[in-house]
Amino acid sequence: MTTRLDLIDHANHSNGLSRRTEMTRMGVTDNVTQTFGCDVFNERVMRQRLPKDVFKRLQRTIKHAEPLDHELADVVAAAMKDWAIEQGATHYTHWFQPLTGTTAEKHDAFLVPDGQGGALSEFSGSALVQGEPDASSFPSGGLRATFEARGYTAWDPTSPVFLNRAGGGVTLCIPTAFVSWTGVALDHKTPLLRSMDALSEQALRILKIFGTDQGVNRVMCTAGAEQEYFLIDRSYYFDRPDLLACDRTLFGAKPPKHQQLEDHYFGSIPQRVIAFMVESERELYRLGVPVKTRHNEVAPGQFELAPIFETANLACDHQMLVMETLKKVANRHGLECILHEKPFAGINGSGKHLNWSMATDTGVNLLDPRDDTHSNMQFLVCLCAVIRAVDLHADLLRASVASASNDHRLGANEAPPAIMSIFLGDMLTDIIEQLESGSPKSTMRGGKLDLGAQTLPQLPRHTGDRNRTSPFAFTGNKFEFRAVGSSQAVAWPATVLNTIVAESLDFLATQLEKSLGANPSEAKLQQVVKSLLQKTVKQHKRVIFNGDGYDKAWHDEAEKKRKLPNLRNSVDALAVVAAKKNVDLFKKYRVLSKVETESRAHIYIEKYIKQVLIEAETAALMARTLVMPAAVRQLGELAESVAATEAADVDSSELREELEEFNELTGSLRTAISRLEKAIETEIEGEHKKAVHLRDHVLTAMRDLRGVVDSLETRISQDLWPLPTYREMLLIR
């Protein structure tokens, strides 16, 4: 007899052979050093294909943010076209990131009729630099009316053009910004690039003060986003309407075995998953994505992929490619990749830790403490700028990760709390305390760790532990923003980080410039810097916390004593986006105009409303059309058993009690469905009030309904239960 698993194994085997054949055809080998970036029009390809003067001018635009010379466009476009066609490309597209949280593309063929019955391949500089998609069909928060359709995509030369191989075809993808006809930003990339400019401008002032700006043209923010995800068998995915519509399960009883044995984290990776990971990595390597780490995560069926961090703009683009590639490759292996923050209740959800730092274009990391950190005043200024930024703008930082899906994870004992605090570790905390007291005099050393066995080496010991409960943790030479959701595009939180740190760098640079005057001595520089840092630490140290972020005592202390904001849900968090101080902040640093900021507040709360309503309507429909019929059938079988038992003159008291209990539970199901449907149908005027209603009433009704459904799952016969269970889905075979 052929089982479903036999079919899966056969399909995977066949699929593996076909994929190997395809990858051979594409020229893919196991030598990643040869294949890395081979589908990217990168610096190496540009050097080979562009005239020397054109190459140099384009590199100045890419590396030093010099204005793009439009005269270069035709030459660059011709080289791109020839390279792409040689790789099998037939179309090109402007690849952009609208405010949907996904990417968008419209494909145009290189082919044009020659007027003589034949065709030519054509790709002009104007087609490279500017495209024109429909701007009215994307969320705009009131920036565009339905009838105002024109929008522009503008080539971003700082993010390399790449090839997308899919469905047997090849498309040249051009990363672009997306703006309205009037130049208003309709995407994530445009404000990100603006925030990077703002950060660079203010950081350069700090370098100039310390005399370390020689040869530095730009300070870049760097980033790397760790991606957590779940994998389940695709056959189960299509049998779950909630996964199809919502990317998470709305019902599901906890299985007897899940993560309680703590045996999945860093465990042996299943062979089927390894095959998927290897192919995903191969495709990402071809696209120049520097993925580095793969491993099992805490929950069964949960995994992680992490890259080496790079410039923020490129990292954000690469993160979108990572998500797309994981989904695409998973399907080839008979799997479904789930990126939702909490696809399964009762086990760990998924996050996306955003590793963030600042570096000069000469390769100096401004957040690298180096030796004798206590005397590295430039580092301490940059560190205190971040501390000040997080303290002053904790509300905006929290809002940058707000979503209906992240609400299911954030604040639980698997993710950082919604209170934005900073973990510095023992060494930096000690220096901060020294700064507060006056002049820092020493740097704590980590020393060596003796493991007690002669065959084991002594290990260099860090000066502090890591803290997985902190939302914003210093991890050696960067900060790790741990509150970002796994399904989220990281460009928005990166934009917020860049902007708030730019504001703090601006503030500190202004204070230092005023106090130092022209040509200050080294002694005066040290004195003025220490004095300013001492004041900054005293004002903003409240945001530093190295303890257990899950501890209720910390929450009480943070709110009551330290007066830190605790925006527990997205409705509260998103309400602060368009606050005057945040509008003024974005406007001052030319990241977002007033209307652009207000539009995003509108879009994000609108998305919250739509997402919750989709989930609520799906839950009600599943409960009424799938769960209720199963419950009725189970009730009928129990009634028949009671009747047969009594007819046989056998004691049926226990069986009748079971029937009565199940009948009561079925009645509770009817009540819970009706309550949810009524909550959904309630008309509420105003976006904020509607969001509050959904949070307080609809989500509550959904939780109540889930409680009943999950109880029924544990009592209804397996042959009658209409949905794949957690026990089935979380074990990859």
Side-chain angles (χ1 to χ4, degrees):
M1 178 180 177
T2 302
T3 67
R4 188 185 66 83
L5 289 177
D6 293 329
L7 294 173
I8 290 172
D9 290 340
H10 176 73
N12 289 336
H13 177 70
S14 303
N15 187 56
L17 292 175
S18 64
R19 288 298 302 157
R20 283 194 290 274
T21 303
E22 182 184 350
M23 293 173 86
T24 302
R25 179 185 61 78
M26 292 164 51
V28 176
T29 70
D30 289 330
N31 191 337
V32 297
T33 60
Q34 294 179 6
T35 60
F36 188 84
C38 64
D39 280 345
V40 183
F41 193 76
N42 51 27
E43 184 174 341
R44 174 180 53 81
V45 179
M46 294 181 196
R47 191 183 296 275
Q48 294 171 350
R49 292 180 173 265
L50 295 176
K52 186 177 293 185
D53 63 321
V54 174
F55 171 77
K56 288 182 177 178
R57 290 159 65 188
L58 183 58
Q59 287 301 301
R60 287 199 296 270
T61 294
I62 295 172
K63 295 182 178 180
H64 305 309
E66 293 186 6
L68 180 65
D69 189 342
H70 285 264
E71 295 179 3
L72 303 179
D74 283 328
V75 179
V76 176
M80 279 184 187
K81 180 201 71 175
D82 292 345
W83 170 77
I85 289 175
E86 289 172 15
Q87 301 295 317
T90 57
H91 290 68
Y92 68 91
T93 181
H94 278 195
W95 184 79
F96 58 101
Q97 300 173 39
L99 296 172
T100 56
T102 58
T103 60
E105 52 197 64
K106 180 188 72 169
H107 296 194
D108 289 301
F110 289 123
L111 184 144
V112 292
D114 64 0
Q116 303 177 24
L120 301 170
S121 294
E122 186 178 277
F123 183 52
S124 66
S126 58
L128 167 63
V129 172
Q130 182 176 321
E132 188 179 330
D134 185 346
S136 66
S137 300
F138 295 102
S140 65
L143 293 174
R144 306 287 289 163
T146 303
F147 63 87
E148 296 175 315
R150 179 163 292 173
Y152 296 128
T153 49
W155 175 36
D156 171 20
T158 64
S159 185
V161 169
F162 61 92
L163 299 175
N164 178 26
R165 301 179 183 271
V170 183
T171 304
L172 179 70
C173 296
I174 306 160
T176 60
F178 177 44
V179 298
S180 73
W181 179 70
T182 57
V184 173
L186 299 174
D187 65 341
H188 287 301
K189 179 180 282 285
T190 303
L192 174 64
L193 293 173
R194 294 171 181 170
S195 72
M196 292 172 67
D197 289 343
L199 182 76
S200 179
E201 180 182 348
Q202 303 307 325
L204 285 171
R205 292 172 63 194
I206 298 296
L207 298 188
K208 185 177 181 180
I209 289 170
F210 287 97
T212 56
D213 60 328
Q214 293 85 356
V216 179
N217 295 290
R218 186 169 177 81
V219 173
M220 301 168 293
C221 54
T222 56
E226 306 168 26
Q227 180 68 61
E228 296 176 355
Y229 59 94
F230 279 84
L231 291 173
I232 67 168
D233 194 288
R234 210 162 187 232
S235 62
Y236 294 138
Y237 180 79
F238 286 108
D239 285 340
R240 294 281 315 209
D242 45 5
L243 284 176
L244 281 168
C246 314
D247 213 35
R248 79 176 181 101
T249 57
L250 302 174
F251 308 120
K254 189 182 294 184
K257 183 182 183 300
H258 44 93
Q259 67 186 47
Q260 69 266 51
L261 294 180
E262 301 171 333
D263 57 344
H264 193 258
Y265 191 55
F266 278 26
S268 177
I269 303 173
Q271 186 173 348
R272 188 179 178 192
V273 176
I274 274 288
F276 151 78
M277 288 177 168
V278 168
E279 187 175 344
S280 297
E281 289 167 359
R282 282 174 175 155
E283 292 214 2
L284 291 169
Y285 288 150
R286 292 180 66 88
L287 294 169
V289 182
V291 292
K292 179 74 170 178
T293 303
R294 64 189 184 211
H295 62 83
N296 286 0
E297 260 295 338
V298 173
Q302 187 186 32
F303 309 92
E304 180 177 305
L305 178 151
I308 300 170
F309 66 114
E310 48 194 340
T311 58
N313 178 39
L314 189 55
C316 291
D317 283 359
H318 281 169
Q319 177 54 35
M320 303 306 294
L321 288 175
V322 165
M323 291 193 292
E324 292 173 6
T325 301
L326 291 177
K327 299 279 286 185
K328 178 174 63 177
V329 175
N331 293 167
R332 298 174 190 156
H333 290 260
L335 299 167
E336 190 68 32
C337 177
I338 302 175
L339 299 174
H340 194 282
E341 285 76 4
K342 196 72 171 180
F344 303 100
I347 63 173
N348 276 26
S350 299
K352 185 180 311 185
H353 303 166
L354 176 61
N355 296 278
W356 178 93
S357 189
M358 300 178 285
T360 68
D361 56 3
T362 58
V364 177
N365 185 344
L366 301 184
L367 289 177
D368 187 351
R370 300 196 302 273
D371 295 333
D372 296 322
T373 306
H374 69 281
S375 62
N376 187 350
M377 289 294 113
Q378 180 175 285
F379 163 78
L380 292 175
V381 167
C382 293
L383 176 68
C384 286
V386 176
I387 294 171
R388 180 184 179 276
V390 174
D391 183 32
L392 290 180
H393 303 287
D395 59 339
L396 186 58
L397 198 61
R398 166 65 179 94
S400 74
V401 298
S403 70
S405 53
N406 210 17
D407 276 0
H408 295 289
R409 165 185 167 269
L410 206 62
N413 287 349
E414 64 189 66
I419 302 166
M420 295 294 106
S421 64
I422 294 177
F423 169 82
L424 290 181
D426 294 343
M427 184 267 286
L428 288 184
T429 300
D430 179 62
I431 291 175
I432 289 295
E433 290 172 352
Q434 291 182 59
L435 269 173
E436 185 181 8
S437 302
S439 179
K441 303 243 180 340
S442 63
T443 298
M444 187 182 294
R445 305 297 179 185
K448 297 289 185 178
L449 188 63
D450 189 348
L451 301 184
Q454 292 183 0
T455 56
L456 295 175
Q458 287 191 335
L459 300 179
R461 181 173 182 166
H462 291 86
T463 54
D465 203 350
R466 299 184 69 178
N467 189 330
R468 65 183 299 271
T469 72
S470 175
F472 202 75
F474 188 79
T475 56
N477 60 0
K478 55 185 171 55
F479 280 95
E480 184 180 47
F481 189 19
R482 298 176 55 86
V484 183
S486 55
S487 67
Q488 185 176 3
V490 296
W492 174 233
T495 297
V496 170
L497 261 176
N498 294 343
T499 307
I500 65 177
V501 174
E503 188 274 333
S504 277
L505 291 171
D506 179 11
F507 173 82
L508 294 177
T510 300
Q511 296 301 307
L512 291 173
E513 289 164 353
K514 287 180 179 178
S515 300
L516 290 169
N519 302 315
S521 65
E522 180 64 24
K524 185 176 181 181
L525 174 62
Q526 292 289 317
Q527 179 187 356
V528 169
V529 170
K530 289 177 183 178
S531 176
L532 178 60
L533 294 185
Q534 183 183 41
K535 184 178 178 182
T536 302
V537 168
K538 287 182 176 180
Q539 289 179 338
H540 303 290
K541 67 177 182 178
R542 65 173 185 165
V543 79
I544 300 171
F545 178 66
N546 292 335
D548 183 0
Y550 299 156
D551 192 345
K552 185 179 182 302
W554 159 240
H555 290 235
D556 294 338
E557 178 185 339
E559 290 186 73
K560 298 175 183 178
K561 185 178 179 180
R562 301 197 187 193
K563 306 298 182 183
L564 296 176
N566 187 7
L567 303 170
R568 292 179 174 83
N569 57 76
S570 290
V571 178
D572 293 340
L574 292 174
V576 310
V577 173
K580 186 177 185 303
K581 81 175 187 70
N582 295 327
V583 170
D584 292 344
L585 172 72
F586 287 124
K587 184 178 179 181
K588 179 178 179 180
Y589 296 98
R590 302 181 298 279
V591 174
L592 293 169
S593 67
K594 183 175 185 292
V595 294
E596 287 172 331
T597 302
E598 291 172 344
S599 72
R600 278 152 178 78
H602 175 83
I603 289 167
Y604 297 147
I605 198 66
E606 186 179 60
K607 184 177 180 179
Y608 175 92
I609 292 169
K610 291 177 178 178
Q611 192 169 342
V612 173
L613 279 174
I614 290 171
E615 291 185 354
E617 290 174 5
T618 301
L621 185 64
M622 289 175 64
R624 189 169 289 284
T625 62
L626 294 174
V627 179
M628 179 62 77
V632 171
R633 285 195 293 270
Q634 179 76 26
L635 190 64
E637 290 187 5
L638 282 172
E640 290 176 3
S641 297
V642 170
T645 303
E646 291 177 344
D649 199 24
V650 177
D651 182 18
S652 63
S653 57
E654 291 186 3
L655 194 57
R656 177 167 288 281
E657 184 178 347
E658 173 72 15
L659 174 63
E660 291 172 353
E661 288 177 358
F662 195 88
N663 184 55
E664 185 178 346
L665 193 57
T666 304
S668 298
L669 176 64
R670 292 192 185 92
T671 302
I673 294 172
S674 299
R675 183 187 171 203
L676 176 57
E677 290 173 339
K678 184 179 179 181
I680 294 171
E681 293 167 0
T682 302
E683 295 289 336
I684 305 291
E685 295 295 328
E687 282 187 336
H688 181 72
K689 289 182 178 179
K690 182 177 287 188
V692 170
H693 169 74
L694 292 172
R695 179 196 66 191
D696 295 346
H697 300 285
V698 173
L699 287 176
T700 299
M702 286 178 65
R703 284 192 291 270
D704 292 345
L705 175 59
R706 176 169 195 150
V708 178
V709 172
D710 290 357
S711 292
L712 284 167
E713 182 185 327
T714 65
R715 303 183 70 165
I716 292 178
S717 298
Q718 188 172 341
D719 62 316
L720 294 179
W721 187 250
L723 300 168
T725 64
Y726 281 17
R727 177 178 56 83
E728 295 170 302
M729 290 187 289
L730 290 171
L731 298 176
I732 295 184
R733 291 174 285 182

